[in-house]
Amino acid sequence: MQILKKENTFRFSARFYEKYASFFFLFLSQPNQNIMSVDDKPIYLDYNATTPIIKEVADAMLPFLYENFGNPSSNHYYGQLTKAAIEKARVQIATLFNCDAEEIVFTSGGTESNNYALKGIAFACQNKGKHIISTKIEHPAILEVLNYLENKGFEVSLLDVGENGVVSIQEFEKTIRPDTILATVMHANNETGAIQPISELGEICRSNDVLFHSDAAQSVGKIKVDIEELNVDLLSFAGHKFYGPKGVGGLFVKKGVVLEKYIHGANHERNLRAGTENIIEIVGLGKAAELVSRDIAITMEHSRRLRDLLLSEIMESDLDYRVNSDINKTLPNTLSVSFKGVSSNEVLKQLTGVCASAGAACHSEGVSMSHVLEAIGIPIDYALGTFRFSTGRGLSEEDIYTASKLIIDEIVRLR
């Protein structure tokens, strides 16, 4: 009887879904009643969260969704065709980074790349030492891995940053010990956009025989990323941050650096990362890298112009605000700004005509502030009103004028 009851419930649910599915889809697709019409879309100012796949990237991927379906490990025509496409993408990325193609390992994205870099070095070098250096403003894809390694017996030193969100070169050098095996510092912060002195830190690591990794997920596509100039041994990146597909990324591994293997199986990716390659997305990743190489100067100028225009509109308002980084040493597309006496979450909740990110939230238990804002010492009355605005392709000056007016007007109304 119990089984029959479950079956009858399922049948009822299925019939109910079939009858009312179109109604629910129609309901869920309706825009906010006060802000947007059916044909309107909100202005997207959250390019640090993710970027859209652009047409040239999608066009490059399409043949591998249909006719070019072979397994790259196969020796026949179809396999060799996709194998060649993977190697082309590897060259496209290596060209962008100014490194050798064989130093690029494809992964499922920035998080996997960070896991592989940190765990791979830690376990491969633990006979030399177990000390790792990082900062308090790293992405959770770094901090959570470091927490895991601490539970496995490694010691982690997390460095403070200044009010500008930048780590001190002097403090970094002082923290290195004889048993330090690895340092990991992000190239640019995902919240404030603050660019770290990676080249200088890399030189310090090299002179002390310490391997150096950088999470470059936020910097690739926004500023120049040159492996030789950065002095890194490992570098992580993610395709969806520079107009490529989600679910694919990679890790630069300098020749001679030995990693403990992270994913076991067959000898794909020169026996560094097992698993049949995600050919469709790897092709898209390579094309996106090619477009970055071609357009980086134009992209930087476009993003900076729009970012600065947004800031100038805020400066002309009567609002009490603060910018959370040195704007001249920040990603050209990123503006982290805090308004006193307002909740950014509440503003964004009401303001569905603009998409951006908030930096803190107020709960019944207290204030939940991002670890980055906490690290740079933002006062609570400003932290609650923190927005991250990030610009990119497809935005216009008209969009910025419209968005800034909506944002400022809503902040004034709520205050």
Side-chain angles (χ1 to χ4, degrees):
M1 288 296 292
Q2 189 174 10
I3 294 176
L4 288 174
K5 185 177 180 180
K6 288 183 178 179
E7 288 178 348
N8 289 335
T9 300
F10 172 78
R11 288 169 184 164
F12 169 78
S13 300
R15 289 197 303 271
F16 183 84
Y17 175 82
E18 289 172 359
K19 184 175 181 180
Y20 293 106
S22 60
F23 167 78
F24 283 118
F25 278 120
L26 179 63
F27 173 78
L28 291 172
S29 66
Q30 293 305 303
N32 183 286
Q33 59 271 25
N34 296 322
I35 304 297
M36 299 163 59
S37 70
V38 174
D39 295 326
D40 287 335
K41 287 185 178 180
I43 297 170
Y44 188 69
L45 292 176
D46 205 16
Y47 284 80
N48 281 10
T50 194
T51 57
I53 295 178
I54 57 179
K55 187 177 186 303
E56 289 172 276
V57 172
D59 289 345
M61 296 168 65
L62 277 176
F64 297 88
L65 186 61
Y66 297 108
E67 62 266 26
N68 300 343
F69 57 85
N71 188 322
S73 297
S74 300
N75 290 323
H76 51 61
Y77 168 83
Y78 292 99
Q80 291 308 295
L81 189 150
T82 52
K83 179 67 174 177
I86 288 175
E87 296 312 313
K88 177 182 177 181
R90 209 184 304 275
V91 170
Q92 289 169 317
I93 295 164
T95 300
L96 172 63
F97 291 155
N98 188 27
C99 66
D100 291 339
E102 64 186 55
E103 294 177 309
I104 299 298
V105 180
F106 291 118
T107 68
S108 64
T111 296
E112 184 191 329
S113 295
N114 288 336
N115 271 264
Y116 190 13
L118 271 58
K119 294 176 184 176
I121 291 298
F123 293 123
C125 300
Q126 59 184 324
N127 290 333
K128 175 187 174 184
K130 289 193 172 185
H131 181 234
I132 302 170
I133 300 172
S134 190
T135 77
K136 293 182 178 179
I137 60 166
E138 300 297 309
H139 191 277
I142 291 290
L143 294 176
E144 288 300 312
V145 181
L146 293 175
N147 182 60
Y148 166 83
L149 290 173
E150 280 188 308
N151 291 331
K152 294 296 182 182
F154 291 85
E155 184 181 351
V156 177
S157 297
L158 294 180
L159 300 177
D160 290 317
V161 295
E163 289 185 358
N164 60 355
V166 176
V167 66
S168 165
I169 296 174
Q170 292 73 27
E171 289 302 314
F172 180 89
E173 188 167 20
K174 288 179 184 177
T175 309
I176 293 179
R177 311 184 322 207
D179 62 337
T180 304
I181 56 173
L182 172 67
T184 176
V185 178
M186 62 182 6
H187 192 190
N189 185 260
N190 50 298
E191 291 191 34
T192 67
I195 300 172
Q196 304 301 320
I198 298 300
S199 179
E200 293 86 346
L201 301 180
E203 286 183 357
I204 293 170
C205 286
R206 196 155 292 175
S207 63
N208 286 275
D209 195 25
V210 173
L211 291 171
F212 187 42
H213 166 260
S214 184
D215 177 358
Q218 280 299 338
S219 58
V220 177
K222 301 182 180 80
I223 57 175
K224 183 181 178 182
V225 179
D226 187 303
I227 295 295
E228 290 300 317
E229 293 179 0
L230 293 178
N231 298 315
V232 294
D233 298 295
L234 305 106
L235 182 137
S236 303
F237 58 97
H240 76 103
K241 300 291 188 180
F242 55 99
Y243 306 94
K246 296 174 179 63
V248 67
L251 178 67
F252 160 79
V253 183
K254 188 177 180 65
K255 288 179 183 176
V257 173
V258 178
L259 296 169
E260 181 83 9
K261 195 171 180 180
Y262 177 59
I263 296 178
H264 297 87
N267 60 348
H268 305 89
E269 289 297 291
R270 302 186 311 285
N271 202 29
L272 292 173
R273 197 258 189 189
T276 301
E277 294 89 345
N278 188 347
I279 176 63
I280 300 170
E281 297 199 350
I282 287 173
V283 167
L285 180 68
K287 187 63 177 180
E290 177 188 300
L291 298 180
V292 170
S293 298
R294 185 191 73 187
D295 299 336
I296 185 64
I298 297 172
T299 301
M300 288 176 63
E301 176 55 31
H302 174 74
S303 297
R304 180 183 287 110
R305 185 176 72 255
L306 298 184
R307 188 273 311 272
D308 292 349
L309 178 59
L310 177 59
L311 178 58
S312 68
E313 292 296 297
I314 293 171
M315 292 173 65
E316 290 180 7
S317 72
D318 294 327
L319 298 173
D320 186 348
Y321 73 94
R322 57 170 286 167
V323 177
N324 299 319
S325 63
D326 182 345
I327 205 71
N328 297 312
K329 297 179 181 178
T330 301
L331 292 175
N333 81 315
T334 305
L335 174 63
S336 175
V337 59
S338 300
F339 298 94
K340 188 175 182 179
V342 69
S343 166
S344 54
N345 278 277
E346 186 63 25
V347 171
L348 293 173
K349 179 181 177 181
Q350 299 297 323
L351 191 65
T352 55
V354 177
C355 295
S357 290
C362 190
H363 308 287
S364 57
E365 300 86 1
V367 175
S368 174
M369 190 190 309
S370 87
H371 68 286
V372 175
L373 297 182
E374 187 174 359
I376 61 180
I378 303 253
I380 290 293
D381 53 350
Y382 281 96
L384 278 173
T386 300
F387 297 80
R388 182 192 68 187
F389 301 115
S390 45
T391 62
R393 285 176 177 258
L395 280 176
S396 67
E397 290 186 1
E398 182 181 354
D399 291 328
I400 298 300
Y401 284 122
T402 301
S404 61
K405 185 178 189 312
L406 288 171
I407 294 161
I408 292 168
D409 287 351
E410 186 62 26
I411 291 173
V412 171
R413 188 186 72 80
L414 287 176
R415 291 181 64 187

